[in-house]
Amino acid sequence: MNRKDLYKQGGHSVQAQRSRRRGQEADLRKERRERLLSSKRIRFAEEEAEEEDFTVEQVRDYAKAIQKYDSNTLHCLRSLRKAFAQGSELISAFMGVENGLRSVVGYLTGHNIDLQLEAAWCITNLSAGTHEDTLRVLKAAAPYLITYLSGQNLSLQDQCAWALGNMSGDSVECRDLLRAQGIVPPMANLLKSEIPSIVQSAAFALSNLARGHSQAADDMMGLGIASMICALLVPGQSTIEVVTEVSWVSTYLTSKPDNLAAFVESGVIDHLVRILHSLVQEAQPNSQAITPILRCLGNIISGPDEYGAMAMQGGLLLHAVMACLQSSHRHVRKESLWVLSNLTAGPAESCWAVVHAGLVPVTVKMLASEAFDIKKEVALTLCNISYHGPDCLKVVLDCRGMEGFVHLLKSHDQDTVLTALQFAEMALRLFPDSKNTFEELEGVACLEGLEYNCNETLRQYANELLDTYFMEETRDEEISEETHGDLSEFRPQEMGMTGSTKEAH
């Protein structure tokens, strides 16, 4: 019988596959929404429990009313910043009123402190609108906002930092304009403030300025921001809100390898590990703080191997990661795997520390239960562990790791399929008994499905595995040595294992 006749589709129904895919897509959409929300933030007043619903006409009336100063101006400004919190439609309605924005900027630069603060608040919420509206507000108000960062009015400092943070989160164009206007030095200096809310707002703005390949990040490093951040991350030194915002600044700055040494020299690794360990022991761990801390640690560990060793000193990190892997929050689990994948890409000592901490069974289980992007990170981690030798590989196999990797052979993501093929090759080569398990899991059928893959590397890899480990003996004898490819050229150590590369993100 032709071995292709034995191929069967997976046991999951088409409906189940569609449902799972919809779930994965919903997770990705949620992640994009959260990323958008984190880059721009509406500011609400804590004391205002009930919010009034505003209409477009009301906003236009208020926009006209503030153009003439009277006893009702403060109320109109306060109503406007509340209206702007309802969304971009009302913001655009206001921006469409001639001289409306000019009037708000006029009150911002005036001498009445109450009107100044309300005007700055209006600008903060206006800056959370569309790109076009944000750009207009930036060009009209940003120079004044930046000037007030160095002023004596602490409430105005806080409000202006928040407004500039929204502008910075809008686009590269906005970030470049703000940098050219000199935003970085006064904003970074606010990290030294004794007022937690000011530090929090400044860190929010700095994290947005540092996004991507922004030159503002280089400016920050030149100002010695690594030591400023480290001072704020001393356990017990700052509020959890400040720790969260400052950690986000760190994630963007440590994504550039050239910046890692400055952070490590400041002692940030020990502070991050201790804060993380403390957070995971709480009855309800703060996922908003844990997520950037894990991301930052993962970035740092992606550097030289000694950074990973420093992070694992004392054993607190792996204990915390174990707790994070079992978190109910998807982002926490994903970032935990990011840390592990970089740790296990390091020296054997780091890998064995992960194994002895009991993390392999937990990660193997995640191969069967998580969304695809998390499974991909799990696969990289487990492949990294297995790459450290037969003893490490056996730990993964004993935890039934083969099952998860066979399932990944059906993936549409070529990098993930390559990772699964690399794992299968290692297992079949080093542990011949794993051949039976691979066959029982219908791994042969998966390899046959890859024989016609459009990717030449995957196609050839699958063919070589089939010919080397699953061809009938009689067939093997008929095939000449010349038609038998040398599988060794496809081994992970020769090809460059997908999961063994450290990287920051």
Side-chain angles (χ1 to χ4, degrees):
M1 179 182 293
N2 189 318
R3 52 194 167 102
K4 292 185 176 60
D5 294 336
L6 300 176
Y7 180 72
K8 295 181 180 179
Q9 296 291 337
H12 298 290
S13 67
V14 173
Q15 186 61 39
Q17 293 176 4
R18 289 175 177 171
S19 297
R20 185 170 63 254
R21 189 177 299 115
R22 283 196 296 269
Q24 293 172 0
E25 290 173 349
D27 286 339
L28 293 175
R29 287 196 298 271
K30 182 179 178 181
E31 182 178 353
R32 287 194 291 270
R33 286 197 302 271
E34 290 174 347
R35 187 164 58 245
L36 179 62
L37 288 173
S38 69
S39 63
K40 286 188 175 185
R41 301 174 185 173
I42 293 289
R43 189 165 199 170
F44 300 93
E46 295 180 1
E47 70 275 8
E48 294 171 353
E50 296 184 4
E51 292 293 336
E52 179 183 352
D53 286 332
F54 294 88
T55 66
V56 168
E57 288 304 318
Q58 283 179 304
V59 168
R60 289 172 179 162
D61 289 342
Y62 285 133
K64 294 174 183 177
I66 62 173
Q67 296 180 32
K68 182 179 180 180
Y69 173 75
D70 56 31
S71 59
N72 201 41
T73 300
L74 183 62
H75 168 73
C76 290
L77 287 172
R78 186 171 291 131
S79 297
L80 280 171
R81 53 96 166 161
K82 292 178 184 178
F84 299 152
Q86 290 182 206
S88 58
E89 181 183 2
L90 296 185
I91 291 175
S92 295
F94 172 82
M95 297 294 287
V97 176
E98 187 177 1
N99 292 323
L101 178 59
R102 179 182 296 180
S103 298
V104 172
V105 174
Y107 291 119
L108 173 69
T109 58
H111 300 292
N112 185 314
I113 186 58
D114 291 331
L115 294 178
Q116 261 192 313
L117 286 172
E118 286 298 338
W121 200 330
C122 283
I123 291 170
T124 296
N125 290 351
L126 281 170
S127 301
T130 65
H131 168 68
E132 291 75 15
D133 289 340
T134 300
L135 194 59
R136 282 184 59 193
V137 175
L138 184 156
K139 292 177 178 179
Y144 304 111
L145 298 173
I146 293 172
T147 298
Y148 293 142
L149 294 179
S150 302
Q152 300 302 311
N153 188 315
L154 299 182
S155 296
L156 192 58
Q157 277 186 339
D158 184 8
Q159 194 69 66
C160 291
W162 193 319
L164 290 165
N166 278 345
M167 294 175 186
S168 302
D170 181 85
S171 62
V172 173
E173 181 182 6
C174 289
R175 288 192 281 275
D176 288 344
L177 286 171
L178 291 171
R179 177 178 178 270
Q181 293 174 5
I183 188 177
V184 175
M187 191 67 77
N189 193 55
L190 290 184
L191 293 181
K192 302 175 184 177
S193 173
E194 296 182 357
I195 310 301
S197 62
I198 293 178
V199 177
Q200 186 179 348
S201 296
F204 163 59
L206 290 167
S207 66
N208 277 339
L209 285 167
R211 288 172 181 264
H213 301 285
S214 171
Q215 290 181 306
D218 297 332
D219 297 341
M220 294 177 206
M221 295 303 297
L223 292 169
I225 197 171
S227 59
M228 298 182 207
I229 288 174
C230 188
L232 292 167
L233 291 175
V234 175
Q237 181 71 26
S238 305
T239 66
I240 192 62
E241 291 79 15
V242 168
V243 167
T244 301
E245 296 296 350
V246 169
S247 295
W248 276 118
V249 182
S250 302
T251 64
Y252 292 112
L253 295 177
T254 56
S255 66
K256 299 182 69 173
D258 292 344
N259 296 340
L260 293 181
F263 276 89
V264 173
E265 290 169 5
S266 72
V268 76
I269 292 178
D270 180 62
H271 296 337
L272 288 172
V273 171
R274 288 168 59 193
I275 292 174
L276 176 64
H277 187 260
S278 175
L279 288 173
V280 299
Q281 295 184 81
E282 296 178 355
Q284 294 183 328
N286 188 320
S287 64
Q288 298 296 319
I290 289 174
T291 298
I293 291 174
L294 286 169
R295 173 77 63 86
C296 187
L297 283 169
N299 286 348
I300 293 172
I301 294 169
S302 72
D305 290 341
E306 57 264 30
Y307 294 173
M310 292 169 65
M312 288 196 294
Q313 288 179 357
L316 295 181
L317 176 61
L318 294 182
H319 178 271
V321 169
M322 172 66 88
C324 291
L325 286 174
Q326 301 172 73
S327 169
S328 60
H329 297 279
R330 178 179 176 276
H331 284 284
V332 172
R333 300 194 301 277
K334 186 173 181 179
E335 297 300 337
S336 302
L337 290 163
W338 166 240
V339 172
L340 279 184
S341 64
N342 279 334
L343 278 176
T344 53
E349 293 78 7
S350 297
C351 179
W352 275 112
V354 171
V355 172
H356 291 316
L359 290 163
V360 173
V362 178
T363 51
V364 168
K365 186 177 180 180
M366 295 174 77
L367 273 180
S369 60
E370 291 286 358
F372 172 74
D373 59 331
I374 295 183
K375 288 182 180 181
K376 187 173 182 177
E377 202 71 52
V378 172
L380 294 175
T381 301
L382 293 174
C383 214
N384 284 348
I385 292 172
S386 303
Y387 181 60
H388 283 284
D391 291 340
C392 289
L393 173 58
K394 189 175 187 304
V395 174
V396 178
L397 290 173
D398 288 346
C399 293
R400 301 181 63 181
M402 181 68 85
E403 182 175 349
F405 278 100
V406 169
H407 184 73
L408 290 179
L409 289 174
K410 305 172 186 177
S411 170
H412 294 290
D413 182 81
Q414 294 181 348
D415 289 339
T416 300
V417 174
L418 179 58
T419 302
L421 286 169
Q422 290 167 341
F423 179 86
E425 189 278 326
M426 283 190 289
L428 293 169
R429 171 166 47 88
L430 297 175
F431 293 95
D433 290 346
S434 64
K435 175 181 176 180
N436 294 331
T437 302
F438 190 82
E439 290 179 312
E440 292 171 0
L441 293 169
E442 299 187 354
V444 175
C446 293
L447 294 179
E448 290 169 344
L450 292 170
E451 285 187 291
Y452 304 100
N453 192 281
C454 60
N455 184 294
E456 182 179 358
T457 299
L458 299 184
R459 184 170 65 248
Q460 192 171 356
Y461 208 141
N463 279 324
E464 292 294 344
L465 286 175
L466 285 168
D467 290 344
T468 302
Y469 297 106
F470 301 102
M471 188 69 73
E472 295 178 1
E473 290 185 4
T474 55
R475 178 62 176 160
D476 285 338
E477 294 172 358
E478 296 175 0
I479 300 178
S480 67
E481 187 68 21
E482 295 176 349
T483 59
H484 245 308
D486 182 4
L487 185 62
S488 64
E489 67 178 296
F490 293 101
R491 289 177 183 171
Q493 55 264 45
E494 307 254 347
M495 290 186 63
M497 177 176 293
T498 304
S500 62
T501 301
K502 290 183 175 184
E503 58 182 347
H505 67 182

